[in-house]
Amino acid sequence: MICTACSCLCDDIELEDGKILNACERGYKHISEYRQNRAKNSVNGKEVDLDKAIEAAAEILKSASSPVIYGMDTITVEAQKLAIKIAEKLGGYIDDNSSFCLGEFVEAILKKEVPSATLDQVRDYAYVIIYWGTNVYRSLPRHMSKYTYYPRGAKRNRGYDEDRFLVVIDIRKSEIAKLAKKNAKFIKVENDVELVESFLKAVEGKASKYDVGGVIREMKRADFNVVFGGLGLKYGLKGNYGLFFEFIRKMNEITPLYFLPSGFHSNMRGFNETLFEIVGAVNKFSFSEKKSDKAFEFSELLRRNAIDAALIIGTDPVSSLPYDVSRNLMAVKKITIDPKNTLTASISEVSIRSALSGIESGGEMVRSDGVRQKLRPIEKTEYDDVYILKKILEGL
Ligand code: SF4
C-alpha cells in the first residue's frame, strides 16, 4: 500500500501477517491506529445518520453569504476537484495549508520559474543535496533514506559517503545537520536573504559574507544538484522569493541545480496543481472576485471576520492556528469533514466522518515532486470524501 501520512507517499509499505513493513514510526502509527479516535456524524452535537449530516451541511452552505472551503491537503485529487466545484458554485473562498506552508514554492515550479526534478531523479543522479530550512528527520522521515542522501542510484552507486555531498542550512544543528560531517557542510544561517546574496556573489566569484565558495565548487563537479526548500527558507526569505529563484537560475547558467519543496501534508501539491489547472492560482482564491490574494488566506479571512460559514476538510485549524485567529471560528458556522475526531470537529455545528484516504478509500495523490500515485487501500468504504462532497454539491 501507499502510506499517506506525509508527502513522501511511500509506495513500498507491505502488510504481512498483521505486520506493517517498511513504514517509519509515523507511517506505522498512521496505519496501525487508523480505527482510533474516529469522528462521528453529528449536527449541533447530536449524533445523526450520514444523510442528515450532509443535508445540514448543504443548508448551512446555501444560506451563507460568505463561505470558505478550507483544508483538503490530505484528501484525494478526485475529492479536491469536488471541493473546488462547491466553492465555485457558492462563489466562495477556497484555501489550503499551503498559503502558510510552501504554496509559493510549488507555484514557482508550476509556472516554470525554476527547474525542478522528481525524487527518483534525485536518488539516481544527485550529487550536492542541499536541505535549506527543513528538518526532514521530523517532517518527512524517509526522505533521506528512500529518495535522496542514503540510497544508491543509477549514477550514484558508491554510497553516500563518496557519491553525495550533503549541505544543511538551518538556524540550529537539527538532526540532519548533525549528519553534515565528511563530504558535507552545515551552514548556520542567521539571515537567509544575506545567504542567498552570498551565493549570488560567490557564483560571480566575488567575496561574500557567508563562506559558500566550497559548495559552489562541489556543484560545478556534478551534472545534477538539488536544493530542498522548507518552511525555514520560506519565512527566512521574508517575501524575497524572486531573489532566491534568481540564485537557482544563475546557478543553472554554470551547473544544473534543481529545486523541490520540502513540505509535509500528503496531498498539498495535489491541491495546488488541481486549483492551478482550474483557475491559474495555487491557493487563497475567491470565486466571486475571481482572483487569488493574501486577503483571502483562511487565517486572514478569520482575522477580519470576513466569513460566516466554513467547510473544513481533513484539517484541524483549532489546533494549528494561533488562538487569536482560531477563536474567531466561534462566530462562523462550521462543517468539518474528517476521518478523525479533531478539536475542530468537536466544536463544529456539523461533523461528518469520512474514510481515511489510502487506507479506506482509493484515488490519486500527488507526491511533493509532482509524481502522481494511485492509492491502494486495504479496505473500502462507500462513504469517502468523494461520496460526501458529491452529495453536498447535489444539495446546493
Ligand atoms: S516517510 Fe511519510 S509516507 Fe513514508 S512511511 Fe513515513 S510517514 Fe509514511
Side-chain angles (χ1 to χ4, degrees):
M1 67 176 292
I2 289 177
C3 176
T4 51
C6 83
S7 67
C8 283
L9 292 178
C10 294
D11 57 358
D12 58 351
I13 310 300
E14 286 175 29
L15 305 175
E16 220 177 79
D17 303 328
K19 288 193 190 121
I20 300 163
L21 307 177
N22 298 332
C24 69
E25 204 180 325
R26 181 193 297 160
Y28 181 86
K29 223 167 165 261
H30 176 70
I31 299 163
S32 63
E33 296 178 5
Y34 78 95
R35 289 198 178 96
Q36 295 177 20
N37 187 35
R38 297 305 295 259
K40 291 192 168 67
N41 297 316
S42 69
V43 177
N44 297 321
K46 201 170 152 243
E47 217 171 314
V48 295
D49 63 27
L50 178 63
D51 288 344
K52 282 258 174 319
I54 288 174
E55 213 176 281
E59 279 311 313
I60 288 177
L61 292 172
K62 265 197 293 190
S63 46
S65 55
S66 186
V68 62
I69 320 296
Y70 176 66
M72 299 158 283
D73 290 343
T74 55
I75 64 174
T76 61
V77 168
E78 293 84 346
Q80 289 168 340
K81 282 183 183 160
L82 285 162
I84 295 168
K85 273 195 183 146
I86 291 174
E88 188 175 12
K89 189 157 185 183
L90 295 168
Y93 303 103
I94 190 156
D95 192 27
D96 76 325
N97 295 293
S98 72
S99 57
F100 62 85
C101 190
L102 303 181
E104 290 86 354
F105 291 169
V106 177
E107 188 166 19
I109 291 168
L110 297 182
K111 288 182 172 169
K112 303 201 183 320
E113 289 169 5
V114 276
S116 194
T118 66
L119 288 167
D120 307 280
Q121 288 171 316
V122 171
R123 182 196 56 234
D124 282 344
Y125 308 119
Y127 175 55
V128 175
I129 297 170
I130 304 175
Y131 281 107
W132 193 330
T134 176
N135 181 13
V136 288
Y137 177 84
R138 301 228 166 257
S139 57
L140 305 163
R142 295 180 75 207
H143 204 255
M144 293 181 93
S145 60
K146 185 163 162 61
Y147 298 112
T148 67
Y149 185 55
Y150 291 114
R152 288 168 196 258
K155 271 201 156 180
R156 300 279 155 202
N157 47 28
R158 284 176 302 166
Y160 65 91
D161 44 356
E162 280 186 58
D163 251 345
R164 311 275 191 203
F165 189 92
L166 177 69
V167 180
V168 179
I169 301 171
D170 215 324
I171 53 168
R172 73 181 83 81
K173 273 220 154 186
S174 62
E175 284 88 349
I176 63 163
K178 287 178 191 152
L179 297 171
K181 288 179 187 130
K182 187 186 159 211
N183 228 20
K185 186 173 173 72
F186 168 57
I187 301 174
K188 189 172 187 304
V189 63
E190 274 135 31
N191 184 322
D192 291 84
V193 174
E194 283 180 4
L195 180 55
V196 177
E197 285 166 351
S198 291
F199 270 114
L200 276 165
K201 281 188 183 156
V203 170
E204 290 166 8
K206 294 179 189 159
S208 57
K209 180 181 168 184
Y210 286 92
D211 172 21
V212 291
V215 176
I216 305 270
R217 275 195 298 282
E218 290 296 334
M219 284 200 261
K220 280 187 189 167
R221 291 179 53 204
D223 56 8
F224 196 115
N225 307 289
V226 64
V227 52
F228 290 97
L231 272 182
L233 172 63
K234 169 182 166 140
Y235 286 105
L237 287 173
K238 300 185 181 82
N240 283 299
Y241 304 115
L243 187 74
F244 177 74
F245 297 143
E246 189 192 332
F247 152 61
I248 304 274
R249 285 192 295 269
K250 277 260 181 272
M251 274 309 302
N252 274 280
E253 287 171 14
I254 52 174
T255 188
L257 175 63
Y258 300 94
F259 176 66
L260 273 159
S262 173
F264 159 62
H265 288 99
S266 52
N267 201 22
M268 186 193 90
R269 176 134 180 186
F271 177 79
N272 293 149
E273 291 198 2
T274 309
L275 190 66
F276 188 78
E277 275 164 23
I278 297 169
V279 302
V282 296
N283 53 26
K284 47 183 187 299
F285 190 80
S286 161
F287 274 101
S288 60
E289 301 202 32
K290 299 199 172 17
K291 63 174 186 177
S292 169
D293 194 280
K294 169 99 183 126
F296 307 148
E297 256 187 55
F298 183 62
S299 56
E300 286 302 314
L301 294 169
L302 279 177
R303 234 186 271 278
R304 291 185 288 111
N305 292 307
I307 44 172
D308 59 354
L311 174 57
I312 298 161
I313 311 170
T315 191
D316 187 12
V318 174
S319 299
S320 58
L321 292 181
Y323 176 67
D324 65 325
V325 177
S326 66
R327 71 178 170 195
N328 288 359
L329 264 175
M330 295 315 286
V332 172
K333 289 229 156 99
K334 299 162 289 299
I335 304 145
T336 300
I337 303 175
D338 205 297
K340 299 282 183 169
N341 185 24
T342 62
L343 266 181
T344 308
S346 69
I347 62 153
S348 291
E349 280 72 9
V350 177
S351 161
I352 302 176
R353 169 186 165 142
S354 63
L356 244 157
S357 303
I359 297 179
E360 298 167 309
S361 74
E364 192 175 66
M365 284 197 177
V366 183
R367 215 167 58 184
S368 61
D369 56 350
V371 169
R372 290 183 178 245
Q373 300 277 36
K374 283 255 174 271
L375 303 179
R376 304 191 288 268
I378 51 178
E379 62 179 77
K380 268 221 152 174
T381 161
E382 202 185 322
Y383 308 119
D384 59 9
D385 295 300
V386 167
Y387 176 91
I388 294 162
L389 292 168
K390 237 186 221 163
K391 286 277 172 197
I392 291 178
L393 188 60
E394 283 165 16
L396 295 180

